[in-house]
Amino acid sequence: MIPLSFAQRRLWFVDRFEGPSPTYNGAFALRLTGELDVDALRAALHDVVDRHEVLRTVIVEDDDGVPHQQVLAQGHEQVTLPLSEVTPRTRDAAVDRAAKQTFDLATDVPIRAVLLRCTPRDHTLVLVVHHIALDGESLGPLLRDLTTAYTARRDHHAPQWQPLPVQYADYTLWLQELLGSEDDPDSSVSRQLAFWKAALDGIPDQLELPFDRPRPKVADYRGDTVPIRIDADLHRALLGLARESNTTLFMVLQAALATLLSRLGAGSDIPLGTPVAGRTDEALDDLVGFFVNTLVLRNDTSGNPTFRELLARTRATDLAAYSHQDVPFERLVEAINPQRSLARHPLFQVIFGVDATGGSALNLPGLTVAQESVPIEFSRFDLGFNFVEQYGVDSGPAGISGLLHYSTDLFDRESVEALVTRMVRVVEAAVADPDRPLGRIEILSAGEQRQILETWNETGAALTDATLPALFQSQVALTPRRPAVLAPDTDLSYGELNER
């Protein structure tokens, strides 16, 4: 029996603990315009599932309740491509239904596909893959292989691709061998755990964010998204600051986010989570699977440093973290043993990532393919900042887009939109004057400053000609039974006080 990878083990536990849920579904809607060969697409989908074992793997338990990977045999029965007729008005609802359909990890292969036909030349392919079998970096190989297979099947032959050097099960076994035993003080896992225990010593259990509501006792992972947009000029300026400070765009945006959260009252110890690809061997480059690991980047904003000084701190923190990136996050949580809660994520509640690839694409011959957004109604974290770099045809910076995912348990949309605006404001201030102390980086707009300094302070009131006895009699008439005097030996209402 093949054991689960460390990352798979956590998702399997969550699935068993909470029950099947679409929270960990990765859903992609691809609009196909033109002459689609449905039979070729169906055959291509079968080819891809046959090629990548993880897409036909179920999670089964032995007699002791220990989970294992079970790779199912190749065969077209593993995944189908049902075709449904829709109209322009019903298409979005059909996409949403497909995206939210849950998986039984013990019996269902972790990939599902649905083809929606609006007209003979207008289709939408909905691919839904459980996160236990696919991470963000896997979307590229998945779509590339689907392109290769469709092109071949459209020409009535099987795809001629090179066999994969390894499968996901091989990676699982290799990673366990690489890390070694924790009983061996010289093993990789022992050395890396020692680093993380020191790096995260005293980390706050919870980041105090500007919530709109108190945190519930149990998180339900309901969420929504707000778009992020940084224009091309600011993108170019950010890259310039990164070169000048010997850092990266990721580090500059990370420092800006730490600055924002610190200025909003989260303190000077700001832990952020970030995903890392986990593909440390080139043999994994073309493989679909769940390789991603999560690092905790601790940001120190104490002492009111300049933004440039914070960048230097960020660089040192990140380089040390990336050189110890092999320890699975799940094992790290066990080692650090923070205070656990069903209400929040352990070690960090804000996750942050930058995608420099601009995303992945499906290129099918004879078709125009456009990836359409699938509404994301889940958030596994309080806040999740995901930035995507864009480059033009001249390879020049064309701006940064992205999404801010947020928990609707905690935040109103209006507050999150303001958070995005303030993030951009911090970025603008940082590139304009990186030697400015963080405390002088303005996060409020001119209108907000006027509201705080002027509008809210307009407390003047016209004086009345009434005497104090007359005012008191008016209050007695309004609230004769309301307490007027509270004393250790007696309480008096307004009426009783008036009689005395």
Side-chain angles (χ1 to χ4, degrees), residues 200-444:
L200 301 183
D201 183 44
I203 193 172
D205 288 323
Q206 177 174 304
L207 200 58
E208 295 302 328
L209 302 171
F211 302 125
D212 291 306
R213 285 173 291 283
R215 187 184 297 279
K217 293 182 178 180
V218 178
D220 66 5
Y221 303 110
R222 289 182 302 170
D224 203 350
T225 57
V226 165
I228 303 172
R229 179 63 186 168
I230 292 174
D231 64 31
D233 290 340
L234 186 51
H235 183 190
R236 188 176 297 105
L238 285 167
L239 293 173
L241 177 57
R243 287 191 298 270
E244 176 191 336
S245 57
N246 196 26
T247 60
T248 64
L249 176 69
F250 177 94
M251 294 175 186
V252 176
L253 290 173
Q254 175 189 334
L257 177 55
T259 299
L260 173 65
L261 298 181
S262 184
R263 293 295 312 278
L264 288 173
S268 59
D269 189 353
I270 311 291
L272 300 173
T274 192
V276 289
R279 296 172 185 259
T280 53
D281 191 292
E282 62 181 11
L284 306 176
D285 290 349
D286 295 325
L287 195 60
V288 172
F290 186 20
F291 303 95
V292 69
N293 195 15
T294 305
L295 301 184
V296 184
L297 306 177
R298 198 171 180 181
N299 299 269
D300 176 14
T301 63
S302 64
N304 194 29
T306 66
F307 191 81
R308 193 185 301 278
E309 290 169 339
L310 178 60
L311 265 181
R313 297 180 187 181
T314 301
R315 182 179 187 275
T317 296
D318 289 7
L319 292 179
Y322 284 119
S323 65
H324 298 84
Q325 65 172 280
D326 297 320
V327 176
F329 178 77
E330 297 72 29
R331 181 65 193 92
L332 181 61
V333 173
E334 293 174 2
I336 303 298
N337 195 25
Q339 183 179 356
R340 306 297 182 90
S341 171
L342 296 176
R344 52 176 166 73
H345 194 271
L347 298 181
F348 66 89
Q349 292 81 50
V350 178
I351 195 165
F352 159 79
V354 178
D355 179 7
T357 65
S360 303
L362 181 68
N363 299 298
L364 302 182
L367 293 163
T368 300
V369 182
Q371 185 165 336
E372 299 190 334
S373 61
V374 178
I376 301 173
E377 299 176 356
F378 309 98
S379 180
R380 298 188 287 271
F381 308 94
D382 294 356
L383 295 171
F385 290 79
N386 183 42
F387 296 92
V388 180
E389 282 192 90
Q390 307 291 338
Y391 286 88
V393 292
D394 59 351
S395 298
I400 301 172
S401 61
L403 292 172
L404 174 49
H405 304 253
Y406 66 95
S407 166
T408 51
D409 277 344
L410 303 173
F411 296 98
D412 294 329
R413 185 176 184 86
E414 182 180 49
S415 300
V416 179
E417 289 172 341
L419 203 61
V420 169
T421 300
R422 287 173 181 151
M423 176 68 183
V424 175
R425 193 173 291 133
V426 169
V427 169
E428 290 172 338
V431 298
D433 184 5
D435 295 308
R436 180 186 308 178
L438 302 189
R440 291 179 52 204
I441 292 180
E442 186 55 68
I443 64 172
L444 299 177

Side-chain angles (χ1 to χ4, degrees), residues 113-178:
V114 174
L115 188 62
L116 308 174
R117 181 163 62 195
C118 192
T119 71
R121 294 181 57 84
D122 183 3
H123 295 78
T124 300
L125 173 64
V126 185
L127 286 174
V128 186
V129 189
H130 195 282
H131 198 22
I132 207 166
L134 180 124
D135 56 23
E137 291 288 328
S138 295
L139 186 58
L142 177 66
L143 297 183
R144 286 198 303 271
D145 285 351
L146 188 58
T147 296
T148 299
Y150 177 81
T151 302
R153 292 298 179 180
R154 185 169 174 262
D155 292 337
H156 308 292
H157 61 80
Q160 303 297 310
W161 44 36
Q162 292 294 321
L164 292 169
V166 294
Q167 290 287 348
Y168 188 77
D170 301 312
Y171 157 79
T172 301
L173 299 173
W174 169 78
L175 182 60
Q176 292 185 346
E177 181 180 350
L178 171 71

Side-chain angles (χ1 to χ4, degrees), residues 454-498:
E454 299 175 16
T455 305
W456 288 351
N457 282 316
E458 291 177 356
T459 57
L463 294 176
T464 177
D465 292 333
T467 62
L468 178 59
L471 293 172
F472 179 73
Q473 290 296 336
S474 298
Q475 187 64 40
V476 171
L478 286 171
T479 58
R481 294 184 178 83
R482 181 177 295 175
V485 176
L486 303 177
D489 56 344
T490 185
D491 295 339
L492 296 175
S493 67
Y494 275 98
E496 292 167 336
L497 179 60
N498 191 42

